[in-house]
Amino acid sequence: MTDEKNTAAAPAPSDFIRDIVAQHVAEQRYAKIVTRFPPEPNGYLHIGHAKSICLNFGIAREHNGQCNLRFDDTNPAKEEVEFVESITTDVRWLIAGWADHCLAFKPKGAHPAPVTSNGKPDRYIAPVPPGENTEAFFASDYFDALYEYALELIRRGKAYVCDLSPEDTDKYRGAPDQPGRESPFRNRSVAENLDLFQRMKAGEFPNAARSLRAKIDMASPNVWLRDPLLYRIRHVPHHHAGDKWCIYPLYDYAHCLSDYLEGITHSICTLEFEVHRPLYDWILEALDLPRALPHQYEFAKLMPNYLIVSKRNLLRLVQEKVVSGWDDPRMPTISGLRRRGIPASAVRRFVTSVGVTKFNSVTDIALFEHAIRDELNTAAARRLAVLRPIKLVLTNIPAGESIPCAAVNNPQAENPTTRPIVLTREVFIETDDFAEVPPPKYFRLKPGGEVRLKYACIIKLDEIVKDAAGAITELRCTAQLDTRSGQPNADKKVKGTIHWVSATQCVDAEVRLYDRLFTVPEPAAEPDFIKVVNPKSLEVVQAKLEPSLASAQLEDRYQFERLGYFALDPKDSAPGKLVFNRTISLKDTWAK
RNA sequence: UGCCCGAUGGUGUAAUGGUAGCACGAACGACUCUGACUCGUUCUGUCUAGGUUCGAAUCCUAGUCGGGCAGCCA
């Protein structure tokens, strides 16, 4: 379906993170480059995540490395299996045929195993290729290991159990421009900390009654170093780990150690984690681990205009039924883009083309639209379809006669093939392709004017038939049959060529015309982005299609000539009931 | 008033002390049995002020502007 030619031919991208990786490869610092994509299963993946996926899998791919799909599931209150399933599907779709050989899973149910590294006891979880009895990595599979590491931190005097309430913890933390104060529980003995932490795990204390904290520096100018919490008490079951735990690790503690356990070399995340990096390093260094430590690198997230890219706001669109669901074709979610008919290759090309920097920028959505059109231009089969039909009668063709014509399937192909279509007395043309009072430079059908029916012949408009109310019911024309391909006057030139379908040999279909969801470039900056939803973001029409489209395939992409790119809706289309989504219109430089 | 990060045409990005380039976009033109594609021409840029240097987008200093950080979220 999707043509990989463009992506494959594109030069390997270069950016500051890839430069660092390339240097590490040159130095032979690591045996293998291992990255990871670590979503929290609390929502659907969107175009912003696609950038991270393509970065992480792209780097792995460029160095024969590996990229782990890992669920960062340390907060059971917000997470659901529905999301681990959708995320897995979306990631696999996005990288299919491109980097799936880099995707690493683990045996189903596997946990980190005891190993010996550099002569010292260690823990490691080995990757396997996705397949039977495998699954993605889960941070929650490391809870036992993480607990052991916490015990070790306590023994080393680098962590303590704190009895401060959440409110008091906040107060003691101070402010960015003001140092915090040390917790009164900061200097408990190792024995007491060990005892208390074990009892936290055993469920002896209620939610938030105590926490485990790293002992770092309450006066640090970086607030994340002011004795950050490592564990909190939450008496809730976990979607993956079951009901074994009532203490759950926090992101900063779990993430760096998960990276270590999986042997990640480059842990790539977005800019807001920059201030967390010292903590990431502190935890790993505090444990004196025997293998090479992972390192964190940060880049600016993708922010395209005319879109919202925030789980909270996307959720609102779903909940308030502005869209039909997370996979509504107007949503910037991966599932929405997929349902809309956008090839994964176009998503990849777009997110790669914007580059990787530390500069917060707004990317023009036109860049995405360009990537989509460009991929589809080579991949899509051309077909004739009329969205808003108006009847046209070719008065010199007898009723019942079928004149065979050959239509090109894809002019971009190296050896273009054709398919047969037929011209009949009655055809439909696009309402927009006729104007009784044409504007200047109007190339289409107008009174007394000539136009070519694509792949058929030139016609001349003789008569406009109207009903009693003055509405146009049909256009009567003369077909110049000697201007058909292969006929003596085939080369006759007219300014306009329009598409059409036979009125007697066509199929009906519902066609959904999608447009931008928002009318302003920065909807998220509005007081209420619901107020700037584009009322015309979805228009449904009953279209007439050429007969070959009756057997359209879900995975195929079509260009309805002169209109745009279309694909079958995977949810609502069924045998005998065609539903097409407009992926994107053709570029239109004809100012209306 | 604290700490961290950043700033190159309309947008995104490259140039790693040596000719500011590429893509998107826009405008105009050529071609055209898709007003698409393709091709051609044009458009607009190094945040400011000092300094180092034969030479600065790049290094230094100060400033300006923007983003991030005070969840028992990630």
Side-chain angles (χ1 to χ4, degrees):
Chain A
M1 167 196 92
T2 53
D3 192 332
E4 292 293 319
K5 190 175 56 187
N6 294 316
T7 336
S14 166
D15 55 65
F16 80 100
I17 294 179
R18 275 184 244 250
D19 288 348
I20 291 168
V21 175
Q23 192 180 337
H24 292 166
V25 169
E27 294 167 354
Q28 301 187 319
R29 184 182 297 205
Y30 305 104
K32 183 184 188 183
I33 297 301
V34 186
T35 57
R36 102 266 95 113
F37 174 63
E40 183 187 15
N42 70 343
Y44 276 69
L45 257 28
H46 54 64
I47 185 81
H49 295 111
K51 179 176 178 182
S52 176
I53 295 168
C54 290
L55 217 208
N56 280 294
F57 280 92
I59 287 173
R61 181 177 174 271
E62 288 149 29
H63 297 285
N64 294 314
Q66 150 199 342
C67 181
N68 295 1
L69 172 59
R70 174 169 80 227
F71 289 100
D72 211 348
D73 55 349
T74 57
N75 186 3
K78 291 187 171 180
E79 300 155 6
E80 292 171 31
V81 237
E82 178 201 345
F83 297 128
V84 343
E85 283 159 8
S86 77
I87 289 170
T88 307
T89 303
D90 289 347
V91 169
R92 299 198 67 162
W93 174 76
L94 225 209
I95 66 171
W98 175 68
D100 22 21
H101 58 291
C102 301
L103 173 62
F105 274 20
K106 64 161 174 79
K108 209 170 173 83
H111 287 226
V115 295
T116 302
S117 302
N118 298 316
K120 292 179 183 169
D122 193 15
R123 297 179 183 83
Y124 176 68
I125 183 156
V128 295
E132 284 283 299
N133 290 311
T134 66
E135 63 183 346
F137 294 87
F138 288 82
S140 56
D141 286 328
Y142 312 152
F143 284 173
D144 283 296
L146 261 24
Y147 178 76
E148 295 297 326
Y149 284 130
L151 256 19
E152 180 61 20
L153 242 23
I154 293 172
R155 280 184 223 111
R156 290 169 179 251
K158 290 173 187 288
Y160 63 96
V161 172
C162 180
D163 301 357
L164 249 26
S165 68
E167 299 72 34
D168 286 340
T169 305
D170 273 353
K171 285 181 193 148
Y172 275 75
R173 188 160 28 232
D177 58 345
Q178 209 176 2
R181 285 146 49 216
E182 295 189 349
S183 161
F185 307 98
R186 196 174 202 259
N187 296 309
R188 291 218 247 233
S189 70
V190 168
E192 190 185 1
N193 280 321
L194 249 16
D195 173 63
L196 252 15
F197 187 54
Q198 280 158 4
R199 289 165 61 194
M200 277 171 64
K201 183 194 178 208
E204 289 188 28
F205 314 116
N207 288 343
R210 295 182 212 263
S211 61
L212 185 74
R213 293 230 252 165
K215 191 191 277 192
I216 309 182
D217 177 10
M218 289 307 291
S220 171
N222 182 341
V223 293
W224 289 102
L225 259 19
R226 321 244 262 226
D227 289 11
L229 270 76
L230 269 21
Y231 271 91
R232 77 282 225 180
I233 301 173
R234 284 282 178 281
H235 290 271
V236 288
H238 188 281
H239 60 92
H240 184 77
D243 53 10
K244 179 177 178 185
W245 298 89
C246 65
I247 54 170
Y248 291 98
L250 277 108
Y251 167 84
D252 288 293
Y253 179 67
H255 202 92
C256 55
L257 286 167
S258 300
D259 284 345
Y260 176 79
L261 289 166
E262 294 175 16
I264 302 300
T265 56
H266 301 262
S267 182
I268 301 166
C269 62
T270 45
L271 247 29
E272 66 267 30
F273 293 101
E274 213 161 13
V275 289
H276 294 241
R277 191 179 347 123
L279 178 55
Y280 182 104
D281 293 336
W282 184 93
I283 293 168
L284 293 175
E285 283 160 16
L287 257 2
D288 196 19
L289 298 159
R291 270 182 295 124
L293 301 181
H295 287 282
Q296 176 183 305
Y297 306 88
E298 311 87 11
F299 70 97
K301 63 174 59 162
L302 177 65
M303 184 52 229
N305 58 12
Y306 291 100
L307 247 51
I308 56 171
V309 189
S310 117
K311 281 183 190 170
R312 208 182 94 249
N313 290 344
L314 292 177
L315 178 65
R316 213 183 134 199
L317 289 172
V318 173
Q319 285 178 337
E320 298 188 16
K321 303 208 186 304
V322 173
V323 297
S324 64
W326 287 100
D327 65 346
D328 185 295
R330 290 165 292 178
M331 290 284 270
T333 52
I334 305 288
S335 4
L337 303 177
R338 178 171 60 237
R339 188 172 170 195
R340 175 115 168 208
I342 295 171
S345 57
V347 178
R348 273 185 250 129
R349 206 136 78 86
F350 167 57
V351 300
T352 304
S353 69
V354 302
V356 180
T357 67
K358 301 186 77 156
F359 177 59
N360 287 299
S361 58
V362 175
T363 299
D364 194 338
I365 197 68
L367 201 56
F368 189 26
E369 296 171 343
H370 170 76
I372 297 167
R373 290 190 179 108
D374 207 42
E375 290 287 316
L376 257 14
N377 182 36
T378 54
R382 312 292 127 123
R383 292 292 182 269
L384 294 180
V386 176
L387 264 22
R388 297 175 180 85
I390 177 172
K391 190 187 284 184
L392 188 150
V393 180
L394 298 166
T395 52
N396 58 330
I397 298 179
E401 186 168 330
S402 291
I403 300 170
C405 304
V408 177
N409 287 314
N410 189 338
Q412 306 288 327
E414 284 180 31
N415 299 300
T417 54
T418 63
R419 65 186 184 286
I421 56 173
V422 295
L423 179 67
T424 52
R425 178 180 172 85
E426 296 193 346
V427 301
F428 291 117
I429 65 162
E430 204 71 57
T431 303
D432 278 356
D433 285 337
F434 164 73
E436 192 170 8
V437 184
K441 287 194 180 179
Y442 189 80
F443 302 162
R444 285 108 96 149
L445 235 210
K446 51 192 169 189
E450 287 183 338
V451 79
R452 179 178 283 277
L453 294 183
K454 178 104 179 166
Y455 303 129
C457 61
I458 292 170
I459 59 169
K460 182 175 185 196
L461 177 58
D462 305 314
E463 185 187 357
I464 301 166
V465 181
K466 299 181 181 180
D467 63 15
I472 296 170
T473 54
E474 66 179 43
L475 303 169
R476 298 176 74 82
C477 301
T478 312
Q480 298 168 22
L481 294 170
D482 62 345
T483 59
R484 284 142 68 213
S485 183
Q487 299 295 314
N489 287 320
D491 290 336
K492 179 175 174 183
K493 304 292 180 194
V494 283
K495 196 66 184 166
T497 298
I498 63 174
H499 57 276
W500 56 279
V501 297
S502 161
T504 45
Q505 300 187 45
C506 64
V507 293
D508 292 308
E510 174 178 325
V511 177
R512 299 171 180 174
L513 305 173
Y514 296 103
D515 200 352
R516 288 173 179 172
L517 226 203
F518 297 100
T519 55
V520 301
E522 287 189 70
E526 294 290 310
D528 182 6
F529 64 84
I530 300 290
K531 293 205 169 78
V532 292
V533 167
N534 179 5
K536 292 181 182 163
S537 63
L538 169 60
E539 190 180 351
V540 181
V541 297
Q542 299 301 321
K544 303 287 185 183
L545 318 179
E546 67 165 82
S548 70
L549 252 5
S551 57
Q553 299 296 303
L554 203 51
E555 60 276 10
D556 284 337
R557 297 292 172 266
Y558 302 95
Q559 183 197 100
F560 292 175
E561 296 215 36
R562 300 210 307 131
L563 294 171
Y565 297 98
F566 295 77
L568 244 23
D569 185 280
K571 254 190 175 171
D572 298 336
S573 203
K577 186 203 173 204
L578 296 172
V579 179
F580 278 94
N581 291 329
R582 181 172 68 193
T583 306
I584 193 166
S585 66
L586 249 32
K587 199 169 160 186
D588 186 8
T589 47
W590 162 243
K592 288 191 173 168

